Amino acid sequence: MIRRILTDGIGEFDLTRLDVYRARGGFQALHKALTTMSPQDVFNEVKTSNLRGRGGAGAGAAFKWSTLPEDGRPRYLILNGDESEPGSFSGRMLIEKNPHLVLEGALLAAYACKMARVFIYLRGEFHEGAQILTRAVAEAREAGLVGPRILGSEFGVEVVVHRGAGAYICGEETAIMESLEGKRGHPRTRPPFPTASGLYGMPTVINNVETIANVVGIVANGGAWFAAIGPEKSPGTKICSVSGRVRRPGNYEIQMGTPLRELIEEHAGGLEPGHQLKFVLPAGASSALVLPKDLDTPLDFDSMMSIRSMLGSAGMLVCDERDCAVHVAYLGSRFYHHESCGKCTPCREGTGWTERVLHRMEHGAGRPGDTERLQALCRGIGGRKCLCLLGDFSVTYLQSALSAFPEEFVAHEQGGPCPVAAAVEVANR
Amino acid sequence: MALDAREATDIIGRYPSPRSALLPLLWLGQHRDGYVTEDTVADVALRLGMAVAEVESVLSFYSMFRRRPPARCRLEVCRSLACAMKGSGEILARVQEETGVGPGESSADGAFSVEVVECIAACDHAPAYLFNERMAGPLTPEKALELLRGEGEGRR
Ligand SMILES: Cc1cc2nc3c(=O)[nH]c(=O)nc-3n(C[C@H](O)[C@H](O)[C@H](O)COP(=O)(O)O)c2cc1C
Ligand code: SF4
C-alpha cells in the first residue's frame, strides 16, 4: 500500500538541504516538465490525477486552474500556509521538514498556469518555518531553480515568502489577498472569484501548501499513477494531524480511504490507556463531530460528507469520556469570537453571544433556556448568511454537539457543576 | 530610528505593489526594536505613501504586532482546544498564583510577561507554547515557572 508520498524521507534525511533533496530525486519533476512538457501537458496530468484541494473544501485543483481567463494579464499563485484551524498542523511539517517539495510543487503549478510570481503566505507564528523556507528559496535560486530562465529554459518565476501576523481569517482565500496587499484581513465579496479578479485585481489561484506539494509526484509519475491511489473520487494521500486524547499525537500520512479507526487506533496508538473514545472533530474546531459508531468511515472527502462531517484539512481532535461536549463548545466559541473579522453582523455579534452563553454554562451560571438559545444562535449565524464561512464554521461543531449530547447542555443549564467532570471524579475515587 | 533603507527598498522591490510590503516592513521594525515603534510607523507610512492612521489601522488588525517594549521573557500559552483539554488553563492559573502575573500581564520589573494565544499549530505537543517566539511543548506548571524565573534571575 502506498502511504508516504509527501512525508517520505522526513525524519531520516535533512530534506531542508537542497543537495539532500536532489539526491533523493528532488527537482527531477521540474526538470522533466521544463524539458519535455508544455504547460498544457502539466495541466493535463494534474487534471488526470483528479487532485482535490487539501485546504478544506476538496475543490478540484485542475478545475480551479481551468477557470483562469486567457486574457494575457499577469497571473499570481498564492500558497496558503496560514494553517490556523485549531487541530491542523500538517502544513507546518511540510514547510519545516520538506520545504523544497513545497517549492518544487509551486514552480510546477506556476509553469502549468503560466505565472511568473508565487507568494507563499505563512502564518506569523511560523517563525522557524519562514526561516527554513526562505533559506530553501535562496538556495534554489542560487542553483538556478528560482528566478529567470529556470534550468536554462524560457520559464522564469519569482517566489516570495510572506509572513502574516496573527489572524485566523487570513487563511480565507480572499482575506489572504487583502492581507498580501497590505490591508486588514477582511474577506471580499464574491463574485468575482479570485481566478477572475484576485490579487491586485489579477487572475489568482490560491491553493493549500499540501495540494501544491502533491503536484510534484503527479508530474514525476503521471496523473494516472496518482489517480489510482485510494478512492476514485478522492485519490492520493492525506497528512492527518491527530491530537487530543491519543497516545501518539502527530502527523500521519495515510492513503485516502483509510478508515478513521485505523488512523486513531493504529497510527496514533489508540486512546490514552484506560479511556474510551467519545467523539472526534475530524477537521479541527470547524467540523461536525464524529461518534464512535462512525469510526469505520473511510477518510476521504465524500465518505466524510456522507456522515455529515468533513475531511477538511484533517486536523483530528480526539476526545474521550473526560471531555464535556459543552466545554469543547466553549473553547471553540472563544476562538471564533476572537477571530471573527467583524464585517458581517451574524458572525460578529453571534460569535460573541455564543461565547457569552457558553461561558456562563461552562462556569456554573447557566440559565434555563440556554440550550434553546444556542440552537437559535446556530440558526441565526449558520446557513451561509455571511461573506465567508467563518460564521458557519463557528456553529458547525456546536450544532452537532447539541444534537449528539443534548443532556450535557441541559445539565449545564441548571447552573451546577459539570456532570461530566463529576462523573470523572467519581470514577477516579 | 528609521528602517534600514537598503533592506526596506529590497523588501518593497519584491512586490508588484509597494503597499504589499507593509507587513514585512512592520516585521522588520519589530525584529529590530522588539516592538513597532512610532518611528517605524512613520517611516513605513512615508516609504509606502500611506497615511500614518492607515498604517495604524492595518497594524492593529494583526495580533502579533506589539506596540510597547516587550518583557525580556515572553511566555505565550495556547488556549485552543487540544491545549486547553491538556490543561493549559490550569498552568496559567498556577503561574498567576505563584507569580501574581496573569494572562496579558507583565511582572512589575518588566522581566517577563504571560500571554494566551489561540492555536499555534503545535497540537501534537499540547499544551503548546511560544517562549520568545520559539514554539515548543508540552508545557507543565514547573516548566512555565522555570522559564519565567530562570531568565528573570539571569538578568540580575
Ligand atoms: C475562515 C477560513 C479559514 C481558512 N483557513 C485556511 C488555511 O489556514 N489554510 C488553507 O489552506 N485554507 C484555508 N481556508 C480555505 C481557503 O479559503 C481556500 O479554500 C483554500 O486555501 C484553497 O486551497 P485548496 O483548493 O488547495 O484546498 C480557510 C477558509 C476559511 C473560510
Ligand atoms: S463571516 Fe465573520 S470572519 Fe467572515 S467576513 Fe463575515 S464577519 Fe468576517
Side-chain angles (χ1 to χ4, degrees):
Chain A
M1 191 195 252
I2 305 170
R3 243 190 218 140
R4 298 181 68 184
I5 299 171
L6 305 171
T7 59
D8 189 34
I10 291 181
E12 291 162 75
F13 303 94
D14 181 7
L15 297 172
T16 64
R17 285 175 42 191
L18 180 59
D19 57 337
V20 176
Y21 179 71
R22 283 187 115 165
R24 293 181 43 82
F27 285 107
Q28 274 172 19
L30 183 70
H31 185 265
K32 174 181 174 187
L34 295 187
T35 52
T36 66
M37 297 165 84
S38 68
Q40 186 66 39
D41 293 338
V42 175
F43 172 86
N44 289 343
E45 292 301 331
V46 174
K47 187 168 178 196
T48 306
S49 77
N50 215 352
L51 171 66
R52 293 173 69 174
R54 303 317 200 216
F63 174 76
K64 189 186 280 186
W65 299 359
S66 76
T67 61
L68 286 163
E70 290 288 346
D71 55 9
R73 288 185 295 161
R75 297 164 164 189
Y76 300 112
L77 175 64
I78 301 174
L79 260 61
N80 193 341
D82 192 59
E83 192 163 73
S84 307
E85 177 68 41
S88 299
F89 47 92
S90 53
R92 183 165 69 85
M93 179 178 66
L94 278 180
I95 292 157
E96 288 181 358
K97 307 286 188 214
N98 213 350
H100 287 291
L101 181 77
V102 174
L103 179 60
E104 185 176 4
L107 299 173
L108 288 166
Y111 181 66
C113 297
K114 305 190 202 96
M115 292 156 167
R117 245 178 231 266
V118 176
F119 297 96
I120 308 181
Y121 189 103
L122 302 183
R123 63 176 296 181
E125 289 82 354
F126 288 174
H127 292 273
E128 205 180 335
Q131 277 169 5
I132 291 170
L133 198 53
T134 304
R135 214 180 309 130
V137 172
E139 223 185 338
R141 189 186 304 275
E142 255 166 52
L145 296 161
V146 168
R149 304 186 53 85
I150 294 173
L151 294 171
S153 72
E154 290 299 307
F155 173 65
V157 63
E158 284 304 323
V159 178
V160 178
V161 177
H162 188 93
R163 285 178 66 202
Y168 169 64
I169 191 59
C170 288
E172 195 277 340
E173 62 176 14
T174 59
I176 210 171
M177 300 188 300
E178 290 284 301
S179 183
L180 254 170
E181 290 181 9
K183 299 175 188 157
R184 297 166 73 94
H186 284 165
R188 299 177 181 170
T189 37
R190 267 158 297 195
F193 289 91
T195 46
S197 174
L199 189 63
Y200 315 117
M202 299 299 166
T204 304
V205 166
I206 296 125
N207 273 131
N208 174 268
V209 287
E210 187 176 335
T211 312
I212 291 296
N214 271 304
V215 177
V216 178
I218 291 169
V219 172
N221 307 307
W225 163 82
F226 189 88
I229 304 168
E232 194 188 337
K233 296 218 164 80
S234 287
T237 62
K238 178 79 195 82
I239 309 175
C240 300
S241 309
V242 189
S243 67
R245 309 294 195 178
V246 291
R247 292 163 68 141
R248 286 196 302 271
N251 282 311
Y252 300 98
E253 182 176 7
I254 51 137
Q255 181 171 310
M256 286 273 197
T258 301
L260 177 54
R261 182 188 300 282
E262 186 181 319
L263 175 68
I264 292 176
E265 293 181 358
E266 288 171 34
H267 297 265
L271 276 278
E272 286 168 3
H275 296 284
Q276 295 88 46
L277 180 71
K278 182 169 173 181
F279 57 86
V280 182
L281 272 65
S286 304
S287 54
L289 61 78
V290 173
L291 293 169
K293 71 176 170 62
D294 289 323
L295 217 53
D296 292 309
T297 309
L299 290 167
D300 62 66
F301 292 108
D302 306 303
S303 303
M304 292 302 283
M305 291 273 275
S306 75
I307 57 163
R308 305 175 76 179
S309 189
M310 64 191 283
L311 180 62
S313 54
M316 310 263 166
L317 183 73
V318 178
C319 299
D320 68 18
E321 80 288 345
R322 290 168 289 180
D323 299 308
C324 173
V326 179
H327 180 60
V328 175
Y330 167 62
L331 298 174
S333 73
R334 193 166 70 173
F335 174 78
Y336 292 108
H337 183 207
H338 186 257
E339 300 297 339
S340 169
C341 85
K343 211 166 167 178
C344 323
T345 310
C347 172
R348 180 187 62 242
E349 304 299 322
T351 52
W353 293 348
T354 309
E355 188 197 345
R356 206 174 322 148
V357 173
L358 282 163
H359 181 274
R360 68 175 178 240
M361 291 175 91
E362 176 64 16
H363 291 85
R367 297 177 197 162
D370 273 350
T371 303
E372 176 46 42
R373 265 178 216 111
L374 289 174
Q375 260 145 3
L377 279 163
C378 289
R379 289 192 298 273
I381 302 167
R384 309 215 163 191
K385 297 185 185 69
C386 298
L387 261 186
C388 86
L389 282 174
L390 190 144
D392 288 86
F393 287 175
S394 77
V395 295
T396 307
Y397 162 77
L398 177 59
Q399 224 155 4
S400 70
L402 280 163
S403 78
F405 302 101
E407 67 288 350
E408 292 181 13
F409 286 86
V410 171
H412 274 270
E413 272 190 3
Q414 315 305 323
C418 173
V420 175
V424 169
E425 221 164 276
V426 169
N428 286 346
R429 238 177 249 154
Chain B
M1 210 196 337
L3 296 172
D4 180 78
R6 264 200 31 214
E7 245 176 312
T9 312
D10 173 55
I11 290 173
I12 295 168
R14 290 178 203 158
Y15 297 93
S17 155
R19 186 165 169 166
S20 287
L22 182 54
L23 264 55
L25 292 180
L26 293 172
W27 273 124
L28 190 64
Q30 177 153 309
H31 274 299
R32 188 190 58 188
D33 303 319
Y35 70 111
V36 180
T37 62
E38 295 299 316
D39 280 2
T40 295
V41 171
D43 188 44
V44 168
L46 199 66
R47 284 181 197 280
L48 302 183
M50 294 168 70
V52 166
E54 232 178 328
V55 174
E56 300 265 9
S57 143
V58 177
L59 164 60
S60 66
F61 184 83
Y62 296 94
S63 62
M64 290 183 75
F65 290 127
R66 287 188 289 264
R67 296 311 309 278
R68 270 175 305 190
R72 284 239 337 221
C73 299
R74 297 179 300 282
L75 179 66
E76 299 172 273
V77 182
C78 176
R79 69 171 193 180
S80 285
L81 285 74
C83 294
M85 280 163 52
K86 298 261 171 114
S88 66
E90 288 74 17
I91 296 173
L92 288 164
R94 174 80 191 282
V95 167
Q96 183 160 15
E97 220 175 82
E98 305 255 339
T99 66
V101 177
E105 296 172 354
S106 303
S107 61
D109 61 356
F112 66 86
S113 63
V114 179
E115 301 278 343
V116 285
V117 291
E118 293 294 352
C119 188
I120 53 174
C123 321
D124 46 345
H125 301 296
Y129 64 97
L130 298 161
F131 185 69
N132 291 352
E133 271 81 57
R134 266 195 82 84
M135 210 176 258
L139 189 64
T140 60
E142 294 70 34
K143 176 84 190 168
L145 291 165
E146 188 188 301
L147 285 168
L148 299 175
R149 207 183 296 128
E151 282 286 328
E153 279 165 12
R155 227 166 65 102
R156 266 184 236 131

